[in-house]
Every structure is written in structure tokens, then in C-alpha cells.
Amino acid sequence: MRRRVLGATLSALAVAMVLLGIPLAIFAFQLVRDDSLRELDSRTATAARAIEVRYVAGETIDQSILANFLSSSSGAPRHIEVTLPDGRKMSAGIEPQPSFKGSYATDDRVIVIMAISQSDVFWEAARAVGLVFAVGVVAVIAGAAMASWQANRLAAPLVYLAASAELIGSGQTRPKLKPS
């Protein structure tokens, strides 16, 4: 009886983990990826507007200014390419291969393209999926502990009942029953 209750509870837990955990992991992966691409588009638009303001004001735009929009931190743009209205093209940073690119064109025809590494985005999303699986493992362990406790609690009165039936069957008329 105890094994059946334990097996049924663990089976229900496994089904719940499959039905909820896998879609949650896929959703987490897509959410992190989409968030990284949205952030890239936002950074690209911010950089394009800042460069446009400098261009309209007549300031010189060189690689040092472009490098201010780049970073070596995970998920940050690693490469920027700017096309000014007069046709000049400038770039800074090293373009990661493979990469995701975001582009933005301002009203004054300043075109900015920024790139982030696909591997950075992948590993950031993989961390989110790993967190989902870690929480799933903790849930399985907690469920197994709860299933064991529940099985013991449900099977204990039946064990006492079986022992009492055995005593009555052997001729003893006063069974010793423990209250449950």
C-alpha cells in the first residue's frame, strides 16, 4: 500500500513537472532572448540620437566617441557602425561572429548598427533555463519527501488493522490497537 501511494504521488509530480517545467523553460529562454534583443534596439536608438545631436551641432565624430557606446560586459554591444548623412562610414569595436544586430535611422539620416554576440545571449538564456530546472529539482525533492510522509501516514492505520486481523485470526480476542 505504501509503495502504491508513493508511486502515485511521484507519478503525479513527474507529470506536473513535465507539463509545467518544460514550457516554463522554453518561455524563460525566449523571454531572456527577446529582452536582450529589445535592449539592443534601445541602446542602438539611444546611440543614434546621441550621435545625431553631435553631428547636427557640428562636433567631430570619431572612434573614441563611438567606443563610448560599447562594452565588454556580457550582453552589451561589442560593435558599432555609423553611416553619417554625408556618406562617411565609421565603426568601432570588433564584430562578434555570429551576432545579433540592431539598427536605427534618425530623421537626419544618421544610421547606426550595433551588434551583440549570440553566444552571450545564448548563455544568459541558458542560465534562466538552468534556474528553472534547479527549481524543478528542488520541487521533485520536496515532492518526494512529502510523498514519503503521506504514504507512511496513509499506510500506518492499515498496517495496524492487518496486525489486529492477524491476532484475531490466531485466536486472540483482544487486539491492541493504537489510535490513529
Side-chain angles (χ1 to χ4, degrees), residues 40-173:
L40 174 64
D41 289 340
S42 174
R43 286 183 181 213
T44 303
T46 302
R49 283 188 235 110
I51 292 169
E52 177 186 37
V53 167
R54 287 177 182 246
Y55 180 77
V56 170
E59 295 181 31
T60 58
I61 299 171
D62 57 5
Q63 284 191 343
S64 64
I65 290 173
L66 299 181
N68 290 333
F69 297 106
L70 305 178
S71 175
S72 61
S73 64
S74 178
R78 303 270 174 96
H79 177 74
I80 184 170
E81 184 178 313
V82 176
T83 304
L84 298 174
D86 60 8
R88 286 188 302 155
K89 290 187 176 190
M90 292 179 282
S91 65
I94 298 169
E95 184 174 352
Q97 292 298 330
S99 64
F100 289 115
K101 293 183 180 182
S103 62
Y104 190 84
T106 66
D107 295 335
D108 289 329
R109 297 188 331 252
V110 173
I111 301 169
V112 175
I113 300 171
M114 295 179 98
I116 58 174
S117 173
Q118 280 185 5
S119 64
D120 286 351
V121 174
F122 173 79
W123 288 113
E124 190 175 336
R127 278 193 295 267
V129 171
L131 180 63
V132 168
F133 282 123
V135 169
V137 168
V138 170
V140 167
I141 291 170
M146 182 62 102
S148 178
W149 174 78
Q150 181 184 16
N152 285 337
R153 183 142 169 124
L154 287 174
L158 296 175
V159 169
Y160 294 133
L161 182 63
S164 297
E166 182 74 27
L167 288 174
I168 290 172
S170 67
Q172 295 183 3
T173 56

